[in-house]
Structure formats: structure tokens, C-alpha cells
Amino acid sequence: MTSPMFERIALVGIGLIGSSLARVIRREGLARHIAIATRSKSTLKRAEELGLGDSYTTEAKEAVRDADLVIVSVPVGSSGEVAAEIAPALKKGAILTDVGSTKASVIAQMQPHVPDGVHFIPGHPLAGTEKSGPDAGFADLFDNRWCIFTPLPGTDPEALEKLSEFWRRCGSNIDTMDPQHHDMTLAIVSHLPHIIAYNIVGTADDLESVTKTEVIKYSASGFRDFTRLAASDPTMWRDVCLHNKDAILEMLARFSEDLASLQRAIRWGDGEKLFDLFTRTRAIRRSIIEAGQDIDVPDFGRQVVEHPGAKP
Ligand SMILES: NC(=O)C1=CN([C@@H]2O[C@H](COP(=O)(O)OP(=O)(O)OC[C@H]3O[C@@H](n4cnc5c(N)ncnc54)[C@H](O)[C@@H]3O)[C@@H](O)[C@H]2O)C=CC1
Ligand SMILES: O=C(O)C(=O)Cc1ccc(O)cc1
């Protein structure tokens, strides 16, 4: 067996993402020791029952002591308090990273606490589901998905390469970009779809009770797709909305304008406009399929669609 990439990896937060990491780290032999920390005793107990790590603690600073790689996988609004808690215990030369869905805010919260000699490299695996908690994770989650880094100026290239290699061995493809670009891009491809889903399901929920029963009974697959996204973790998505506020508001403004224009086309019977838009959007779907990126996460179980040759 090849020697592990890291002697000790500390996972702070052991929900969907942390537990998926624990599973793939174990499967690929990427660490000699997996130290798990989470705030809630019941979550920690469950992680232990599942055998996700080698040591378990509710004290994040205990887990990160002597760790060569520390991965923070908590809701983005908790990044700052976690960084403050672990900072004094971080080893010189350690790599500190995160998996948060927003980047500028996470950097602003964490960076002030990072001691000299620790390599802080913010990251975001574009892989997930609507589920949360340690039972929801699975080792294949990151397979053929992007992991984006938003390195800070002056980042040690060796540390960046080591972290990139770690994520490649977890199955991911790597990209780097600046945090503002990340937040704007993710606002449209990830954050808005979730907000729209929460909104449409909320609208259905506000309907009169007879209609609401029918919404559930006759829910067509389009509506059901929205309910999957709208079942995503409320804490996580509250934090995403609050911590990527500017980019989300910018995208929502554009979205609302376009929706108003669509509404107008329907009102005035402008079939040509509707047909042109629907033709344009259909082409986007085709491009996604051609790029091998249509990894569907249908409700009621996962079905990963394989695309031969999809890796770049
Ligand atoms: N769920 C998804 O599909 C994806 C989530 N992300 C990001 O990953 C991060 C984690 O998300 P999930 O694993 O889905 O959430 P989750 O809700 O499944 O797990 C969160 C974990 O953090 C722990 N936690 C919360 N506050 C803490 C604190 N102050 N100290 C220590 N532990 C704390 C919880 O006990 C739990 O173990 C979030 O920042 C999210 O934006 C990134 C990609 C995909
Ligand atoms: O469940 C889905 O469809 C997702 O889009 C999962 C997801 C949620 C948040 C992220 O930052 C990245 C991926």
C-alpha cells in the first residue's frame, strides 16, 4: 500500500460533506489518522457509530492539534467562530481549508484568525445533495465533480498543489478563481435555483387547502424537482443567503426583470418571443449534457449518470 498523503486529517463538522470526506479519505487511504470534531454530542455519537474516524471530540481544537490537513465543513455563518476556536492549536505548516458554498465571506471570517505559517486555502466542492448530517454522506460524492479553490495572494504553490492532489484523489477536478468571481458564478448556478425552489414550493404551500392536497397528489416531475432542492438544509441555506447577499441580490434583480419580460410575452400572446427563449435555453441543457455535467440527483434515491470520457 502507498503511504498516506497526510499523517493526520482533522474534519471539523461531520455532516453531508464532512462525512463524505471521511468515507473517501478512508477508502483511498489518504490519512493515517482521521480526527473528527463536531459541536453536537448526538452528531458526534452517530459519526462514531458509523465508524467514520479514528478519534472523536466535541472540542475542535483537540482534533486539529498535530493535524497536517484541517477541513472545516460547517455552515458558512459558523466559519469565523470555528477559525477563532482552532487557531491557537493549528500546527505550523498545516493546510487549513474549508468547503463553504460562499467564499468572500468565509475568507473575511476566517483569515484574520489564521496564524503565520499555516496555509489557508479556501475551497468549495461543487457536489452535494439536499440531505444533511453524517448518515447522508457517501464516498463517491466528489467523483468527477469540480472543486474550486479561491487562493489568497501569496499562497504557497506547494501547499496548493498538495491540496489539489488530495481533492483529485477524492475524485474531483480542480479549478481556481478569485472569491468574487466564485460568488457571482455560484449565485446564478446554485444559489438562485435553490431560492427559486424555496419560493415556488412556498407559494404552493400558501395555496388554499384543497388545491394544496392536489399539488401533492398530482405533483408533476417539474414540481417534484423543485421540492428536492427546497428540502435542502435550512441552516445551510439561510447562511448562504446571508453571506452571499450582494451577488444573490444582483442575480435576483436580473432574474426578476427577465421574469417580468416573460410575463409580458405571455400576457400579449407573443409566441415568437416564448419560442425563441425556450429554444435558447434548450441549447444550454444540451451543452451541459455534452460537457458530461448532467449528474442527476433525483429524489427518492441517487442515480449517478455515468459519462465515459467526461474527465478533462
Ligand atoms: N450540502 C451540500 O450539498 C453542500 C454543502 N457545502 C457546504 O459545506 C458546508 C457543510 O454543509 P453540509 O455538510 O451539507 O452540512 P450539514 O448540516 O450536513 O453538516 C454541518 C456540520 O457542521 C456541524 N457544525 C455546525 N456548526 C458548528 C460549529 N460551530 N462547530 C463545529 N461543528 C459545527 C454540524 O454539527 C454538522 O456536523 C457548508 O458550508 C455548505 O455551504 C458545499 C457543497 C455542497
Ligand atoms: O443538491 C443539489 O442539487 C446541489 O446543488 C448541491 C449543492 C449545494 C450547495 C453547493 O455549494 C454545492 C452543491
Side-chain angles (χ1 to χ4, degrees):
M1 189 185 131
T2 53
S3 66
M5 280 191 80
F6 295 96
E7 283 299 312
R8 181 181 173 99
I9 297 182
L11 300 175
V12 181
I14 197 69
L16 169 74
I17 300 297
S19 74
S20 297
L21 281 166
R23 288 172 170 100
V24 69
I25 290 166
R26 183 79 88 205
R27 187 187 71 191
E28 298 300 316
L30 300 177
R32 211 177 291 283
H33 184 101
I34 303 172
I36 290 177
T38 200
R39 219 177 25 174
S40 127
K41 281 192 183 133
S42 58
T43 307
L44 194 69
K45 182 164 168 276
R46 187 64 192 138
E48 193 161 5
E49 283 164 4
L50 292 167
L52 295 175
D54 300 299
S55 61
Y56 304 87
T57 175
T58 51
E59 297 298 318
K61 56 184 173 304
E62 296 305 324
V64 309
R65 195 157 283 132
D66 283 331
D68 320 283
L69 174 62
V70 175
I71 309 178
V72 175
S73 311
V74 303
V76 290
S78 299
S79 315
E81 65 180 70
V82 168
E85 189 187 341
I86 63 177
L90 290 170
K91 183 167 95 167
K92 218 174 171 60
I95 297 174
L96 169 65
T97 189
D98 79 300
V99 297
S101 303
T102 72
K103 295 275 54 90
S105 159
V106 166
I107 292 168
Q109 292 178 68
M110 292 183 74
Q111 198 189 10
H113 301 287
V114 180
D116 285 348
V118 169
H119 306 289
F120 173 43
I121 305 175
H124 178 201
L126 303 194
T129 74
E130 73 284 13
K131 309 226 169 70
S132 55
D135 284 282
F138 52 100
D140 289 338
L141 177 63
F142 309 108
D143 248 22
N144 198 25
R145 309 307 299 269
W146 289 103
C147 182
I148 298 178
F149 297 124
T150 58
L152 303 162
T155 297
D156 175 22
E158 260 182 56
L160 181 59
E161 178 45 36
K162 186 149 189 195
L163 188 61
S164 302
E165 180 57 19
F166 167 81
W167 275 104
R168 281 194 284 269
R169 287 175 66 174
C170 292
S172 296
N173 307 313
I174 310 300
D175 238 344
T176 58
M177 59 182 72
D178 73 62
Q180 286 70 26
H181 186 71
H182 168 279
D183 288 355
M184 202 55 103
T185 306
L186 268 291
I188 187 67
V189 301
S190 177
H191 306 167
L192 233 63
H194 280 82
I195 291 165
I196 291 163
Y198 282 122
N199 196 57
I200 190 174
V201 178
T203 302
D205 190 48
D206 287 341
L207 297 171
E208 291 73 28
S209 61
V210 171
T211 322
K212 195 155 79 186
T213 312
E214 285 175 330
V215 165
I216 293 166
K217 187 170 167 190
Y218 301 125
S219 70
S221 59
F223 184 74
R224 282 160 54 103
D225 288 351
F226 282 116
T227 63
R228 185 187 73 75
L229 287 184
S232 300
D233 189 71
T235 304
M236 172 187 155
W237 283 99
R238 175 203 63 198
D239 281 11
V240 169
C241 291
L242 298 179
H243 289 269
N244 196 22
K245 180 177 166 178
D246 294 345
I248 289 175
L249 288 178
E250 162 73 24
M251 290 302 165
L252 269 177
R254 289 178 184 226
F255 176 83
S256 304
E257 272 178 31
D258 290 344
L259 188 61
S261 151
L262 190 55
Q263 195 173 351
R264 197 177 155 78
I266 295 169
R267 179 180 311 283
W268 294 103
D270 189 345
E272 198 182 326
K273 187 169 177 141
L274 297 174
F275 187 84
D276 286 351
L277 174 67
F278 301 163
T279 305
R280 203 151 50 84
T281 56
R282 186 182 232 191
I284 296 265
R285 171 75 183 165
R286 289 199 176 129
S287 312
I288 289 173
I289 291 171
E290 274 159 30
Q293 292 295 318
D294 69 324
I295 301 168
D296 288 331
V297 189
D299 46 2
F300 314 121
R302 281 186 52 80
Q303 178 197 336
V304 177
V305 183
E306 298 289 348
H307 294 279
K311 280 199 175 188

